[in-house]
Structure formats: C-alpha cells, structure tokens
Amino acid sequence: AQSVTQLGSHVSVSEGALVLLRCNYSSSVPPYLFWYVQYPNQGLQLLLKYTSAATLVKGINGFEAEFKKSETSFHLTKPSAHMSDAAEYFCAVSKTGFQKLVFGTGTRLLVSP
Amino acid sequence: SAVISQKPSRDICQRGTSLTIQCQVDSQVTMMFWYRQQPGQSLTLIATANQGSEATYESGFVIDKFPISRPNLTFSTLTVSNMSPEDSSIYLCSVEGLAGGPETQYFGPGTRLLVL
C-alpha cells in the first residue's frame, strides 16, 4: 500500500530564506507524487506533480521538487520564501492515475518578516 | 482550467439531521472523489463517485452514512446522514480526467460543516 510521511508538522522560515518541506513515500510500484497547498479557508491547489517523467519537477509560485528513488523522497523547495507562501502543504501519492490519493499529515509553513 | 464548485460552502447543522453537498464541474470528467478533512487533520478518501452506478467506499465509510450520487459526468452529491459532532469536518470533492490534466486530481473549495 502507498503511504507518505511528511517530516515536521510545522516549518518556520524568514522571508527570503530557503523553503524545504520533506516528503518520503512508500510504494510497491513507481508512484505518482503530488504536492498540494491549502491556504486558510480554501480548498487544495495543485503545486506540482511527478508522473515518471523528469525527476526535477517545477511547479507554480516558484516551487520545485525532486524525485529521488534511491531515497524514496520527493521534497519540496523554494529558493526564497514570501509571506504569501504561508499555508498548509500536503504531499500525496497514488499508484497510478485515476486512483485515490493518499495524503501525508501536512506541514504548516510559517513565514516571518 | 476547469471550475469546480461546491454548495454549500459552509453550514452549521443540528445533530441527527442530514446535509447534502453538491459538487459541480464545468466540463466532463472521468472520475469524481469525495474526501473528508477533520479539524487539524489530513485528507481521507470517503468514496469514489461512479457515474451511473453505486459509489465505491473506502474502509470505514458506509453508504448508509454517506450516500453518494453521480447522475452525469459533471455533477455529484454527498449526503452526510444522521449527523453527530464527530462529522464536523471539511468535505472536498475532487475530479480527475480533465483535458490537459490526466492523472491529476483537482479539488473543489470544500464545504465546512459544523455539527452542534
């Protein structure tokens, strides 16, 4: 069965600092991996996805993630944090397309001025 | 990209009552899903809404409690029946199979439910 682990329920950074949100997955087959962001009182917005093409995936709002099979990781990064990046970030995995998503527990990103 | 809407956006209900949540997409999609996000928690899949047939429920969720309909390729409803305070959650629908976005689920804005 697929699962994801997000290390750190809260991550605090200063504005302009590097953002690194960690996600490790467990899957019996090459997975599809996703990062979603949830702003307060809103639904989930897709940031980026990995579906077995390029291992370095670029998403919206300057975020990117690298699929590392040897480390079973799909960490999310952004070179310079903005105040507007403060939100809850969820990593998710599915076995293939058109299948249910299994979500991690989420990481709340706090950005201080 | 497609627009996914949910109604109502939020509601406060009394225990023992039922609430039906609607999910509408402005284009046809292959798959529609319903998720629950309990306070401070992650998302858990309730069921896959199948067009023209009964929904497929995940372990721990039953049709009597969460009846689902999907009469066509753009619309689905989720009913939360005989509600208790433990049903207070955000309920989100997601869709997959949009043109230009296969293998990706897109989410509606959610319905925030508080049961007293």
Side-chain angles (χ1 to χ4, degrees):
Chain A
Q2 289 76 38
S3 67
V4 289
T5 301
Q6 291 184 243
L7 295 176
S9 59
H10 292 78
V11 170
S12 295
V13 300
S14 299
E15 193 172 21
L18 171 71
V19 176
L20 171 60
L21 304 181
R22 299 178 186 275
C23 173
N24 288 89
Y25 68 90
S26 172
S27 176
S28 58
V29 297
Y32 291 177
L33 292 158
F34 306 84
W35 276 99
Y36 288 88
V37 60
Q38 185 176 36
Y39 297 102
N41 298 314
Q42 295 188 27
L44 270 69
Q45 181 180 5
L46 178 70
L47 276 177
L48 48 81
K49 66 178 181 180
Y50 167 78
T51 56
S52 74
T55 56
L56 181 62
V57 181
K58 295 186 182 297
I60 62 171
N61 301 338
F63 285 94
E64 64 181 37
E66 185 172 8
F67 173 72
K68 291 187 177 180
K69 184 177 179 180
S70 62
E71 299 178 7
T72 61
S73 68
F74 191 58
H75 302 330
L76 182 70
T77 60
K78 182 174 180 178
S80 176
H82 290 208
M83 296 294 291
S84 59
D85 294 327
E88 187 91 20
Y89 291 80
F90 293 96
C91 182
V93 63
S94 68
K95 186 185 297 187
T96 63
F98 304 107
Q99 299 289 325
K100 72 174 184 179
L101 287 173
V102 176
F103 283 85
T105 51
T107 298
R108 182 167 297 278
L109 177 64
L110 307 170
V111 183
S112 57
Chain B
S1 60
V3 175
I4 306 167
S5 60
Q6 286 185 232
K7 291 181 180 179
S9 59
R10 59 180 66 240
D11 208 341
I12 301 173
C13 300
Q14 297 298 317
R15 69 171 65 212
T17 63
S18 297
L19 177 72
T20 296
I21 302 168
Q22 299 178 6
C23 180
Q24 178 78 54
V25 192
D26 66 354
S27 59
Q28 294 185 343
V29 294
T30 306
M31 305 289 284
M32 297 184 78
F33 304 88
W34 287 99
Y35 290 82
R36 181 176 72 181
Q37 185 179 21
Q38 295 178 297
Q41 304 290 319
S42 186
L43 285 80
T44 302
L45 181 67
I46 297 172
T48 302
N50 300 309
Q51 194 266 324
S53 64
E54 197 169 280
T56 304
Y57 289 84
E58 295 298 303
S59 176
F61 297 96
V62 296
I63 188 171
D64 290 345
K65 176 66 177 178
F66 297 103
I68 288 171
S69 77
R70 188 176 174 196
N72 55 52
L73 295 176
T74 64
F75 184 78
S76 177
T77 67
L78 167 74
T79 298
V80 186
S81 303
N82 188 24
M83 288 184 286
S84 67
E86 291 70 35
D87 294 318
S88 298
S89 295
I90 303 172
Y91 292 87
L92 299 105
C93 69
S94 73
V95 304
E96 187 168 350
L98 290 167
E103 306 162 337
T104 303
Q105 288 186 30
Y106 295 92
F107 286 79
T111 295
R112 286 152 180 79
L113 172 61
L114 176 63
V115 184
L116 302 176

XYZ file of all heavy atoms in Angstrom, chain A residues 32 34 36 38 41-44 46 49 51 90 97-101 103-105, chain B residues 30-31 33 35 37 42-43 45 58 92 96-97 102-105 107-109 112:
335
model
N 2.946 7.926 -8.502
C 2.718 9.297 -8.889
C 2.735 10.111 -7.593
O 2.111 9.715 -6.605
C 1.359 9.462 -9.570
C 1.258 8.820 -10.937
C 0.053 8.840 -11.633
C 2.336 8.206 -11.544
C -0.058 8.262 -12.881
C 2.241 7.622 -12.791
C 1.035 7.651 -13.455
O 0.917 7.066 -14.697
N 2.545 14.052 -5.631
C 1.953 15.369 -5.774
C 2.252 16.208 -4.527
O 2.380 15.683 -3.418
C 0.420 15.267 -5.916
C -0.041 14.360 -7.016
C -0.150 12.990 -6.813
C -0.378 14.877 -8.256
C -0.576 12.140 -7.819
C -0.814 14.033 -9.275
C -0.906 12.667 -9.058
N 0.330 19.554 -2.834
C -0.796 20.480 -2.841
C -0.589 21.509 -1.738
O 0.021 21.225 -0.707
C -2.113 19.752 -2.566
C -2.618 18.882 -3.690
C -2.222 17.550 -3.801
C -3.522 19.377 -4.636
C -2.699 16.745 -4.826
C -4.009 18.579 -5.655
C -3.587 17.263 -5.743
O -4.067 16.465 -6.758
N -2.767 24.362 0.725
C -4.081 24.778 1.205
C -3.920 26.073 1.982
O -3.322 26.084 3.065
C -4.713 23.694 2.080
C -6.129 24.003 2.504
C -6.770 22.865 3.302
O -6.107 22.188 4.075
N -8.055 22.653 3.095
N -8.916 28.551 4.928
C -10.320 28.571 4.494
C -10.491 28.376 2.992
O -11.460 28.880 2.407
C -11.001 29.873 4.929
C -11.031 30.016 6.437
O -11.371 29.070 7.151
N -10.629 31.170 6.933
N -9.570 27.653 2.386
C -9.685 27.363 0.963
C -9.506 25.860 0.723
O -9.140 25.113 1.619
C -8.649 28.156 0.167
C -8.860 29.665 0.217
C -7.940 30.394 -0.729
O -7.510 29.856 -1.743
N -7.645 31.650 -0.409
N -9.780 25.457 -0.502
C -9.559 24.069 -0.883
C -8.094 23.832 -1.197
O -7.228 24.635 -0.862
N -7.806 22.711 -1.841
C -6.429 22.362 -2.174
C -6.095 22.805 -3.591
O -6.876 22.609 -4.516
C -6.220 20.851 -2.072
C -5.770 20.340 -0.707
C -6.891 20.485 0.293
C -5.320 18.893 -0.807
N -3.155 22.449 -6.611
C -2.015 21.648 -7.042
C -0.803 22.552 -7.255
O -0.867 23.536 -7.979
C -2.351 20.919 -8.342
C -1.227 20.085 -8.938
C -0.966 18.852 -8.066
C -1.568 19.658 -10.363
N 3.464 17.989 -9.782
C 3.262 16.550 -9.764
C 4.423 15.843 -10.452
O 5.075 16.397 -11.340
C 1.962 16.176 -10.454
C 1.949 16.478 -11.948
C 0.646 16.036 -12.593
C 0.661 16.338 -14.097
N -0.598 15.907 -14.761
N 5.051 12.241 -12.476
C 4.380 11.070 -13.039
C 5.342 10.293 -13.929
O 4.992 9.890 -15.026
C 3.128 11.475 -13.830
O 3.515 12.423 -14.827
C 2.078 12.075 -12.937
N 0.580 19.716 1.581
C 0.328 18.277 1.652
C 1.048 17.564 0.517
O 0.931 17.955 -0.648
C -1.173 17.973 1.542
C -1.980 18.449 2.713
C -2.641 19.673 2.675
C -2.091 17.669 3.858
C -3.391 20.114 3.754
C -2.841 18.096 4.938
C -3.483 19.320 4.880
N -2.675 6.732 -12.308
C -3.715 7.721 -12.500
C -5.078 7.123 -12.203
O -5.248 5.911 -12.134
N -6.022 7.991 -11.986
C -7.416 7.606 -11.746
C -7.559 6.689 -10.535
O -8.399 5.808 -10.494
C -8.029 6.947 -12.980
C -7.952 7.815 -14.197
C -7.078 7.529 -15.216
C -8.731 8.958 -14.297
C -6.991 8.345 -16.329
C -8.653 9.786 -15.409
C -7.780 9.466 -16.423
N -6.716 6.903 -9.570
C -6.771 6.157 -8.321
C -6.807 7.141 -7.160
O -6.475 8.308 -7.313
C -5.548 5.245 -8.175
C -5.430 4.198 -9.261
C -6.481 3.126 -9.123
O -6.865 2.755 -8.022
N -6.963 2.612 -10.244
N -7.163 6.629 -6.001
C -7.261 7.520 -4.856
C -5.902 8.072 -4.482
O -4.859 7.453 -4.709
C -7.853 6.797 -3.655
C -6.919 5.774 -3.016
C -7.531 5.224 -1.748
C -6.590 4.280 -1.036
N -7.209 3.761 0.226
N -5.907 9.264 -3.915
C -4.704 9.873 -3.373
C -4.590 9.525 -1.893
O -5.571 9.577 -1.160
C -4.766 11.392 -3.527
C -4.583 11.963 -4.938
C -4.853 13.446 -4.930
C -3.202 11.660 -5.471
N -2.734 10.924 1.345
C -2.093 12.167 1.760
C -1.216 11.974 2.979
O -1.501 11.131 3.858
C -3.166 13.211 2.091
C -3.805 13.830 0.884
C -4.877 13.214 0.266
C -3.324 15.019 0.366
C -5.469 13.774 -0.853
C -3.915 15.595 -0.744
C -4.981 14.964 -1.358
N -0.177 12.786 3.046
C 0.582 12.913 4.276
C -0.181 13.762 5.269
O -1.266 14.278 4.973
N 0.400 13.911 6.438
C -0.283 14.616 7.521
C -0.218 16.125 7.380
O -0.873 16.841 8.124
C 0.314 14.213 8.875
O 1.730 14.352 8.811
C -0.037 12.759 9.207
N -13.676 12.203 -15.889
C -13.769 10.750 -15.779
C -14.113 10.323 -14.353
O -14.989 9.498 -14.124
C -12.437 10.106 -16.202
O -12.089 10.574 -17.504
C -12.546 8.595 -16.205
N -13.375 10.877 -13.405
C -13.501 10.418 -12.030
C -13.894 11.580 -11.124
O -13.455 12.723 -11.317
C -12.174 9.844 -11.523
C -11.584 8.746 -12.383
S -12.510 7.211 -12.269
C -11.965 6.643 -10.665
N -14.231 12.188 -6.793
C -13.943 11.613 -5.484
C -14.471 12.539 -4.391
O -14.569 13.744 -4.586
C -12.437 11.443 -5.259
C -11.717 10.621 -6.293
C -11.205 11.213 -7.434
C -11.534 9.261 -6.104
C -10.522 10.465 -8.375
C -10.855 8.501 -7.042
C -10.347 9.103 -8.181
N -13.604 13.530 -0.326
C -12.652 13.413 0.772
C -13.200 14.117 2.005
O -13.996 15.047 1.911
C -11.309 14.066 0.415
C -10.496 13.338 -0.623
C -10.751 13.488 -1.982
C -9.430 12.516 -0.248
C -9.994 12.826 -2.934
C -8.663 11.849 -1.192
C -8.948 12.017 -2.531
O -8.185 11.357 -3.475
N -11.785 16.068 5.575
C -10.648 16.618 6.297
C -11.133 17.035 7.679
O -11.771 18.076 7.841
C -10.041 17.815 5.559
C -8.782 18.345 6.210
C -8.173 19.511 5.455
O -8.849 20.188 4.669
N -6.889 19.749 5.659
N -5.290 15.581 8.059
C -5.095 15.483 6.626
C -6.383 15.016 5.952
O -7.432 14.922 6.590
C -3.945 14.512 6.344
O -3.645 14.504 4.974
N -6.309 14.736 4.687
C -7.480 14.321 3.920
C -7.561 12.804 3.855
O -6.557 12.121 3.669
C -7.415 14.860 2.499
C -7.719 16.338 2.305
C -6.525 17.202 2.650
C -8.181 16.605 0.877
N -9.924 9.736 1.920
C -10.910 9.455 0.885
C -12.115 8.760 1.486
O -11.971 7.754 2.198
C -10.301 8.580 -0.203
C -11.224 8.225 -1.367
C -11.562 9.467 -2.183
C -10.608 7.160 -2.258
N -14.451 3.572 0.772
C -13.224 3.150 1.438
C -13.577 2.503 2.782
O -14.673 2.664 3.319
C -12.313 4.354 1.671
C -11.808 4.972 0.384
C -10.957 4.030 -0.438
O -9.937 3.520 0.090
O -11.309 3.802 -1.625
N -14.461 17.711 0.781
C -13.970 18.201 -0.501
C -14.238 17.191 -1.598
O -14.040 15.987 -1.398
C -12.464 18.470 -0.451
C -11.980 19.513 0.554
C -11.312 18.827 1.738
C -11.000 20.478 -0.103
N -10.850 14.077 -11.667
C -9.684 13.644 -12.437
C -10.150 13.312 -13.838
O -11.240 12.775 -14.037
C -9.020 12.425 -11.790
C -7.713 12.025 -12.448
C -6.925 11.023 -11.626
O -7.282 10.773 -10.466
O -5.945 10.475 -12.158
N -9.259 13.606 -14.800
C -9.616 13.321 -16.179
C -9.977 14.568 -16.952
O -10.581 14.492 -18.018
N -4.643 14.851 -17.169
C -4.883 13.466 -16.761
C -3.953 13.099 -15.612
O -2.920 13.700 -15.425
C -4.550 12.665 -18.030
C -3.585 13.527 -18.772
C -4.008 14.936 -18.501
N -4.352 12.101 -14.888
C -3.551 11.581 -13.775
C -3.359 12.614 -12.690
O -2.426 12.533 -11.908
C -2.178 11.091 -14.259
C -2.269 10.091 -15.384
C -0.969 9.942 -16.154
O -0.152 10.882 -16.127
O -0.787 8.909 -16.785
N -4.219 13.596 -12.643
C -4.109 14.639 -11.631
C -5.486 14.945 -11.089
O -6.431 15.112 -11.851
C -3.501 15.919 -12.217
O -2.225 15.622 -12.784
C -3.355 16.989 -11.149
N -5.588 15.028 -9.766
C -6.849 15.390 -9.147
C -6.853 16.868 -8.805
O -5.877 17.405 -8.264
C -7.074 14.556 -7.877
C -7.395 13.106 -8.185
C -7.763 12.308 -6.962
O -8.308 12.819 -5.993
N -7.464 11.017 -7.007
N -9.183 19.871 -6.874
C -10.117 19.922 -5.759
C -11.035 21.124 -5.820
O -10.651 22.211 -6.276
C -9.349 19.952 -4.437
C -8.749 18.629 -4.075
C -7.578 18.186 -4.661
C -9.391 17.801 -3.165
C -7.041 16.935 -4.342
C -8.867 16.563 -2.826
C -7.692 16.133 -3.421
N -12.244 20.901 -5.326
C -13.162 22.000 -5.113
C -12.768 22.776 -3.881
O -11.847 22.405 -3.153
N -13.493 23.854 -3.598
C -13.143 24.732 -2.476
C -13.493 24.160 -1.112
O -13.056 24.689 -0.095
C -13.945 25.999 -2.764
C -15.088 25.530 -3.583
C -14.585 24.398 -4.404
N -17.446 23.438 4.589
C -17.089 23.412 6.018
C -18.335 23.174 6.837
O -19.247 23.992 6.840
C -16.409 24.727 6.401
C -14.994 24.785 5.863
C -14.474 26.163 5.579
N -13.102 26.082 5.078
C -12.762 25.764 3.831
N -13.697 25.516 2.945
N -11.494 25.684 3.468
